Amino acid sequence: MAATQVLKSEWTKIRSVASTVWTLSLAAVVTIALGMLISVLSKNDYDNLSREDKLTFDPTFISFAGMSLGQLAMIVFGVLVVSNEYSTGMIRTSLAAVPGRGTFLFSKVLVAALLALVVGLATSFAAFFAGQAMLGSHRAQLGDPGVLRAVIGGGLYMTLIAMFSMGVAAMLRGPMLSLGILMPFFFLISSILGNVSATEKIGRFLPDQAGSRIMQVKAPFDDDTPYGPWGGLAIMVAWTVVALVGGYVVLRRRDA
Amino acid sequence: MIELKGLTKRYGEKVAVDHLTFTVRPGVVTGFLGPNGAGKSTTMRMLLGLDHPTAGDVRIDGKRYAQLKDPLKYIGALLDAKAVHGGRSAFHHLLCLAQSNGIPRARVHEVLDTVGLTAVAKKKAKGFSLGMGQRLGIAGALLGDPEILMFDEPVNGLDPEGIHWIRNLMKSLAGQGRTVFVSSHLMSEMALTADHLVVIGQGRLLADTSMADFIRQNSRSYVRLRSPQRERLLDVLHEAGVTVAEAGDGALEADGTSAEQLGELAARHQLVLHELSPQQASLEEAFMRLTAESVEYHAHTAVPGAPGSGPGAPTSGPGAPTSGGALPGAGGPGWGEGWQRRRKGA
């Protein structure tokens, strides 16, 4: 069983279903459009900001504001790539063709992650330039310190969110259960935990909060986060690895 | 060649497949027969390495499924016609399977043509009828031009033309020297296609025999008798040494004696007969008898010894509606049972 054969096969699978196109385009459109909208609002509100807030004004991060919503479409993409196999029964056909379950899962994840990376990077750059255009005189330049890292980091963030979702979907199998857990977790629970002072210290080790640190260029004044941008991304990578290993163990052990 | 050795699958307390040992040989169609829930599909899933056996072993040409390089080139299987992503076209479905096993793209067009789906190759699979879905599944099984083919209930939901097509396909595949393993819960279907028969019930092997032997052993003929002087008739038959069983509706069934002899016997004793008719038990009845005690889901009205199908509901069994799982065979040993014992002794 040559891995290249399986990669080719997974590429055919992913490009031949409509859900790939609509989840990824939704992720791009929502991230860019919402980022532009919030950039416009931030520019108009700039004069009302306190002196401190003006000093830590982070035009790069503001242009990524749409990602909190756009990542949900990335989650749907990641979940569907894996759980479609189970919900349609295709998994039996797939595993009969590729009995190596590790080869099967990791080829699938690799192909989907590369696609997510391409879309994520394109989205991130587009969101940055569109957002900066809206911010007018308060805009950041790609050449400013830390900005290029933040923009590339945005693409990595979206990729990792999709990969984390693939791991969770491989563990839970059903799309409804996976989405029912992931969507509220990333949209509500994570931000609640992160904003309540009692749980803030736990909340910032969650994958999305740790990972999104890479998109910040200027940290807030009272920032006591114990990790930097790359440290935060490493935490997110750790979460993703755990989810994928968990998914692999479940796939290996259970009957298809 | 498929070899099963002591294959067992347990779900908690429930045993789905119980120490199955048999071999599926090339060049013939082997029918895999059993009532619903007998463990046929579970066995087939274990053959493909999809379910892990609790105990025992399956070998495909001497190898474990996971050891096969490009398994579709060894064994092609149709498990479930709906095991397809509905949003994917027939062509792309087959293409991704072909690519995963290094099968050239041209072969996809070939098998689409073989199963007659070329015209709808670009259509999404969710718009397919059950028959088209089966054809797509069969196309997937044929893709790697494998020496072993396995079909799980392939005629389910097909129209007569489709059924005819599948029967001929299986026969021609076996005729080419391939191993063809096909499951069904219909004896009548197997009688038309299979050369060899493996029967299971509640996960246990009940029979492993050639179709010809099965027919010879089980196409029992007997004579159905009805008389207003039933008790006297019974005495007369008994004296003459005729084995007789009571059918549920007051009729009698005599084994091993021709209708002519019985008629003359009755005439000699001046008995009135209302019915004197030679009967032939169908293979379907033979199958039901064989599996009667192992059928998992009985309909409560059905008496296992007296399946209401066929003319005259011939029965050698108790006939009286006793409890659901009773073995047939009050008059003479339940021949299904006896035969089963013989098979095991052999």
Side-chain angles (χ1 to χ4, degrees), chain A residues 103-116:
Chain A
T103 313
F104 166 74
L105 180 66
F106 292 115
S107 300
K108 182 180 281 298
V109 170
L110 181 61
V111 166
L114 284 176
L115 183 60

Side-chain angles (χ1 to χ4, degrees), chain A residues 9 12 16 96-97 101 255, chain B residues 9 50 52 65 88 96 99 101:
Chain A
S9 156
T12 301
S16 58
R101 299 196 174 184
D255 291 337
Chain B
K9 180 69 182 179
L50 296 174
H52 306 290
Y65 195 85
R88 199 171 278 136
C96 72
Q99 286 172 328
N101 277 248

Side-chain angles (χ1 to χ4, degrees), chain A residues 1-2 5-6 8-10 12-19 84-85 88-99 101 251-256, chain B residues 9 11 45 48-52 65-66 68-72 79-80 82-89 92-93 95-97 99-102 105 124:
Chain A
M1 177 69 43
Q5 293 176 7
V6 185
K8 251 183 168 173
S9 156
E10 288 299 328
T12 301
K13 277 187 193 171
I14 209 166
R15 70 184 172 84
S16 58
V17 292
S19 60
N84 266 345
E85 293 267 355
T88 59
M90 179 73 188
I91 186 75
R92 288 186 179 152
T93 312
S94 296
L95 288 179
V98 185
R101 299 196 174 184
L251 181 66
R252 225 190 124 83
R253 284 193 164 177
R254 283 175 61 177
D255 291 337
Chain B
K9 180 69 182 179
Y11 297 105
R45 285 202 304 275
L48 295 176
L50 296 174
D51 287 12
H52 306 290
Y65 195 85
L68 298 175
K69 186 187 177 294
D70 298 334
L72 297 185
L79 280 193
D80 179 1
K82 278 160 278 165
V84 170
H85 189 304
R88 199 171 278 136
S89 71
H92 279 123
H93 172 73
L95 180 64
C96 72
L97 292 179
Q99 286 172 328
S100 68
N101 277 248
R105 182 181 281 248
K124 287 181 177 175

Side-chain angles (χ1 to χ4, degrees), chain B:
Chain B
M1 177 124 88
I2 309 171
E3 293 158 286
L4 290 81
K5 277 197 196 109
L7 195 68
T8 302
K9 180 69 182 179
R10 220 172 269 127
Y11 297 105
E13 286 292 291
K14 197 174 148 17
V15 182
V17 174
D18 196 358
H19 293 92
L20 279 189
T21 302
F22 61 89
T23 302
V24 187
R25 291 188 174 78
V28 291
V29 176
T30 301
F32 191 32
L33 204 58
N36 290 329
K40 301 187 295 292
S41 295
T42 308
T43 304
M44 287 188 153
R45 285 202 304 275
M46 287 192 282
L47 277 172
L48 295 176
L50 296 174
D51 287 12
H52 306 290
T54 312
D57 195 27
V58 190
R59 300 277 166 152
I60 312 289
D61 287 342
K63 290 182 190 158
R64 287 225 171 81
Y65 195 85
Q67 295 169 333
L68 298 175
K69 186 187 177 294
D70 298 334
L72 297 185
K73 293 177 184 170
Y74 290 85
I75 175 167
L78 164 78
L79 280 193
D80 179 1
K82 278 160 278 165
V84 170
H85 189 304
R88 199 171 278 136
S89 71
F91 172 76
H92 279 123
H93 172 73
L94 294 173
L95 180 64
C96 72
L97 292 179
Q99 286 172 328
S100 68
N101 277 248
I103 297 162
R105 182 181 281 248
R107 178 67 187 158
V108 173
H109 295 289
E110 266 176 48
V111 293
L112 278 168
D113 200 45
T114 307
V115 302
L117 287 179
T118 305
V120 292
K122 300 284 173 191
K123 295 254 162 58
K124 287 181 177 175
K126 67 179 153 207
F128 283 14
S129 67
L130 193 52
M132 289 157 85
Q134 293 282 43
R135 282 168 188 265
L136 180 57
I138 288 167
L142 296 175
L143 202 54
D145 197 18
E147 281 302 308
I148 305 173
L149 286 129
M150 192 163 90
F151 304 107
D152 194 5
E153 311 259 355
V155 300
N156 264 9
L158 288 188
D159 55 14
E161 192 253 326
I163 292 174
H164 187 69
W165 176 74
I166 289 204
R167 277 181 201 152
N168 287 338
L169 177 75
M170 290 191 296
K171 282 181 182 164
S172 74
L173 288 167
Q176 292 162 12
R178 297 177 210 256
T179 306
V180 181
F181 189 44
V182 53
S183 81
S184 179
H185 57 266
L186 297 175
M187 184 66 216
S188 51
E189 180 57 36
M190 288 296 96
L192 290 169
T193 40
D195 310 297
H196 195 87
L197 210 54
V198 172
V199 185
I200 64 167
Q202 285 198 345
R204 281 192 297 277
L205 188 68
L206 299 180
D208 180 359
T209 176
S210 77
M211 195 72 212
D213 277 351
F214 187 85
I215 291 173
R216 200 173 322 120
Q217 307 244 15
N218 288 305
S219 50
R220 157 188 176 256
S221 51
Y222 58 94
V223 179
R224 197 173 138 85
L225 295 157
R226 264 186 330 124
S227 167
Q229 297 148 291
R230 192 163 168 280
E231 296 306 318
R232 273 203 62 206
L233 179 61
L234 266 173
D235 288 344
V236 167
L237 290 171
H238 192 72
E239 276 168 33
V242 176
T243 313
V244 71
E246 295 192 33
D249 54 357
L252 300 171
E253 292 172 4
D255 279 309
T257 314
S258 71
E260 288 84 354
Q261 286 172 309
L262 290 168
E264 284 159 17
L265 186 68
R268 270 203 301 282
H269 292 84
Q270 296 189 326
L271 288 166
V272 176
L273 290 182
H274 286 171
E275 182 179 354
L276 176 67
S277 56
Q279 304 272 339
Q280 185 97 20
S282 73
L283 289 174
E284 200 72 50
E285 286 151 12
F287 168 57
M288 279 197 261
R289 237 176 265 276
L290 182 62
T291 57
E293 65 163 347
S294 68
V295 171
E296 190 171 2
Y297 309 106
H298 280 297
H300 280 294
T301 49
V303 183
S309 64
T315 319
S316 72
T322 50
S323 72
L327 245 184
W335 41 272
E337 185 199 24
W339 169 76
Q340 192 183 323
R341 224 181 276 132
R342 274 198 301 282
R343 290 298 316 167
K344 278 181 177 162

Side-chain angles (χ1 to χ4, degrees), chain A residues 2-176:
Chain A
T4 47
Q5 293 176 7
V6 185
L7 289 173
K8 251 183 168 173
S9 156
E10 288 299 328
W11 172 241
T12 301
K13 277 187 193 171
I14 209 166
R15 70 184 172 84
S16 58
V17 292
S19 60
T20 305
V21 179
W22 66 254
T23 47
L24 289 178
S25 25
L26 199 65
V29 169
V30 167
T31 305
I32 296 165
L34 192 63
M36 284 168 76
L37 180 69
I38 291 179
S39 298
V40 171
L41 296 175
S42 303
K43 186 190 83 172
N44 296 340
D45 197 43
Y46 186 81
D47 295 332
N48 304 330
L49 291 178
S50 66
R51 206 176 63 86
E52 275 180 12
D53 282 347
K54 277 181 185 164
L55 279 172
T56 59
F57 188 77
D58 188 346
T60 311
F61 195 57
I62 286 168
S63 63
F64 292 141
M67 226 168 254
S68 59
L69 207 57
Q71 69 176 357
L72 298 185
M74 266 309 188
I75 291 168
V76 178
F77 166 73
V79 166
L80 288 186
V81 161
V82 173
S83 62
N84 266 345
E85 293 267 355
Y86 293 97
S87 59
T88 59
M90 179 73 188
I91 186 75
R92 288 186 179 152
T93 312
S94 296
L95 288 179
V98 185
R101 299 196 174 184
T103 313
F104 166 74
L105 180 66
F106 292 115
S107 300
K108 182 180 281 298
V109 170
L110 181 61
V111 166
L114 284 176
L115 183 60
L117 180 66
V118 170
V119 174
L121 280 176
T123 303
S124 187
F125 274 94
F128 174 76
F129 287 119
Q132 303 316 309
M134 296 298 124
L135 282 162
S137 57
H138 307 293
R139 68 167 168 267
Q141 299 292 338
L142 201 57
D144 294 346
V147 171
L148 185 61
R149 178 259 296 156
V151 177
I152 291 173
L156 294 176
Y157 175 85
M158 290 187 106
T159 310
L160 286 169
I161 277 281
M163 290 174 78
F164 179 74
S165 308
M166 290 174 217
V168 172
M171 284 191 274
L172 301 176
R173 300 182 163 208
M176 286 308 142

